Amino acid sequence: MSHMNHRLSAHWFTSILVVAGALLMVLPFWFMLVFATHDEATIFSVPPPLWFGDQLGENLAQLLKRLPYFWHNFANSFYIATMTTGLNLFFCSLAGCAFALYQFKGKKLLFNLVLGTMLLPGFLNMIPNALMIAMFGWLNEPK
């Protein structure tokens, strides 16, 4: 019986820990949404606001006045994110099928090379990608 109680308490502890971690991960997004609806003075007040305000329209107007190409930039970012995700899914699925279904010379080496590149953090490619995009003349242009 004590083994069952121990498992149950471990399950509850783990569940509480996961929920607390999830709330901690969601908190910055919550504050981003809440702060978007307040003016600057309210955002920097102590304690900060925890619920939505009524300044969203004014904040959006100020944003569009300061950054007139905001929606164009947003559409470019959405396009790049969508295409990158879709192409990654497509080519990674092809590679996964090739590694799973076919036997070929150098399969282990190639698989280890692919796995090794996946272990590198994504930010290591930021500067080389930005330089290549500038070299191709693709800055601010969806290609």
Side-chain angles (χ1 to χ4, degrees):
M1 191 66 166
S2 68
H3 177 67
M4 186 65 168
N5 288 339
H6 176 67
R7 281 187 59 169
L8 188 61
S9 64
H11 173 73
W12 277 106
F13 176 74
T14 305
S15 298
I16 290 171
L17 192 64
V18 167
V19 168
L23 288 175
L24 195 62
M25 299 285 180
V26 169
L27 204 58
F29 296 103
W30 173 259
F31 276 112
M32 177 185 66
L33 292 173
V34 169
F35 288 172
T37 63
H38 288 279
D39 62 343
E40 191 173 353
T42 309
I43 291 171
F44 289 110
S45 66
V46 177
L50 301 176
W51 196 247
F52 299 104
D54 57 356
Q55 299 290 318
L56 182 62
E58 290 84 1
N59 290 343
L60 283 176
Q62 187 177 12
L63 170 71
L64 294 175
K65 189 174 83 175
R66 287 185 185 179
L67 302 171
Y69 296 110
F70 173 76
W71 291 116
H72 176 74
N73 294 339
F74 183 81
N76 279 348
S77 297
F78 184 77
Y79 173 78
I80 295 296
T82 303
M83 294 305 290
T84 301
T85 302
L87 289 172
N88 270 322
L89 286 171
F90 177 71
F91 286 115
C92 289
S93 297
L94 288 179
C97 285
F99 285 128
L101 299 177
Y102 300 111
Q103 297 297 326
F104 52 90
K105 187 176 180 181
K107 175 181 171 180
K108 246 185 190 175
L109 176 68
L110 190 58
F111 179 75
N112 287 334
L113 185 66
V114 169
L115 193 61
T117 59
M118 290 173 69
L119 294 175
L120 294 174
F123 62 82
L124 289 179
N125 290 330
M126 261 192 228
I127 293 175
N129 281 343
L131 292 174
M132 285 191 321
I133 287 170
M135 186 176 65
F136 295 151
W138 291 354
L139 283 178
N140 295 323
E141 296 292 327
K143 300 279 182 182

